[in-house]
Amino acid sequence: PSVLDSFALLSGQLNTLNKVLKHEKTPLLRNQVIIPLVLSPDRDEEIMRQTEGRVPVFSHEVVPDHLRTKPDPEVEEQEKQLITDAARISPDVAQKQIQSLNKMCSNLLEKISKEERESESGGLRQNKQTFNPADTNALVAAVAFGKGLSNRRPPGSGGAVQTGQPGAAAIIAGASGMQQVPMSGAPAQQQPMLAGVQIAQAGQPGK
């Protein structure tokens, strides 16, 4: 909205200026000559204020550029050459060139927008958290300290444990984490016992 308001203000001022210049009492500006009256290499604060800081000094170096009414001769020649080349092109060829240029610009804009979307999505993926801290802490506590694990055994696992005995749950937890190693000379049918809990052999499905 601010840009549109500024544009409307500028448009109104330009229309007013055109009306003033086209008035019959206004002399033709082409008949007027602007000559610099004072040239100085020193910094001029008044010129700085009027030009909003664009021209700090009004010296022999900047006067030809700021008071120029025609482009450079090289630029003028290039402009004439472009006008001549444009006049030689037929309307059909010009329309094809315009369509080709628009197609190239559209493809370029699509590539730029695609790269912007990919970069934005990549940034979102990098910033997105891929784990839940609460679940991670609960899993670590369960593995390290057995927090939240049940002390009950499934039916048919063999070897009843009296819940009244102290430390039975800890013995079961320790026994379930041990690996059975067959001892030399021991009978194959014998199964080791740990505090009244029968440990399943390696070939049998255990807990």
Side-chain angles (χ1 to χ4, degrees):
S2 61
V3 174
L4 292 177
D5 294 340
S6 302
F7 181 80
L9 179 62
L10 290 174
S11 178
Q13 292 177 351
L14 288 175
N15 290 331
T16 304
L17 182 60
N18 286 330
K19 289 180 181 178
V20 172
L21 294 177
K22 291 179 181 179
H23 197 270
E24 57 183 7
K25 294 184 179 181
T26 303
L28 295 177
L29 294 180
R30 69 183 63 181
N31 297 331
Q32 306 295 323
V33 179
I34 299 176
I35 58 174
L37 298 179
V38 178
L39 296 178
S40 174
D42 300 331
R43 182 184 179 91
D44 193 340
E45 297 297 335
E46 182 66 21
I47 293 179
M48 281 281 292
R49 184 183 63 80
Q50 292 180 358
T51 59
E52 298 179 354
R54 292 188 297 270
V55 182
V57 295
F58 200 65
S59 62
H60 296 79
E61 183 180 359
V62 300
V63 162
D65 294 331
H66 290 289
L67 298 184
R68 185 191 304 272
T69 57
K70 293 179 64 177
D72 292 334
E74 296 84 0
V75 177
E76 196 171 6
E77 289 296 330
Q78 292 179 2
E79 187 176 357
K80 289 181 181 179
Q81 184 67 28
L82 290 175
I83 293 174
T84 305
D85 295 342
R88 294 176 181 173
I89 300 176
S90 62
D92 296 337
V93 176
Q95 189 65 28
K96 290 181 180 179
Q97 291 182 357
I98 292 173
Q99 292 177 358
S100 176
L101 180 61
N102 291 335
K103 186 177 180 180
M104 291 173 59
C105 293
S106 301
N107 294 335
L108 184 60
L109 289 175
E110 289 179 1
K111 289 182 180 180
I112 293 174
S113 60
K114 182 179 179 181
E115 290 180 359
E116 290 179 351
R117 288 194 301 267
E118 289 178 355
S119 62
E120 291 178 358
S121 61
L124 292 176
R125 285 196 298 268
Q126 291 179 359
N127 296 332
K128 185 178 180 180
Q129 194 173 11
T130 57
F131 65 95
N132 188 352
D135 293 344
T136 303
N137 295 333
L139 183 60
V140 171
V143 172
F145 308 107
K147 183 178 179 181
L149 298 180
S150 176
N151 294 332
R152 295 178 299 176
R153 291 172 60 95
S157 58
V161 178
Q162 296 182 3
T163 57
Q165 296 179 355
I171 295 174
I172 293 174
S176 62
M178 294 175 61
Q179 183 179 3
Q180 181 182 0
V181 179
M183 298 177 61
S184 58
Q189 300 298 329
Q190 185 179 0
Q191 296 181 355
M193 301 289 291
L194 179 60
V197 180
Q198 185 178 8
I199 303 176
Q201 291 182 356
Q204 297 179 355
K207 181 177 177 182

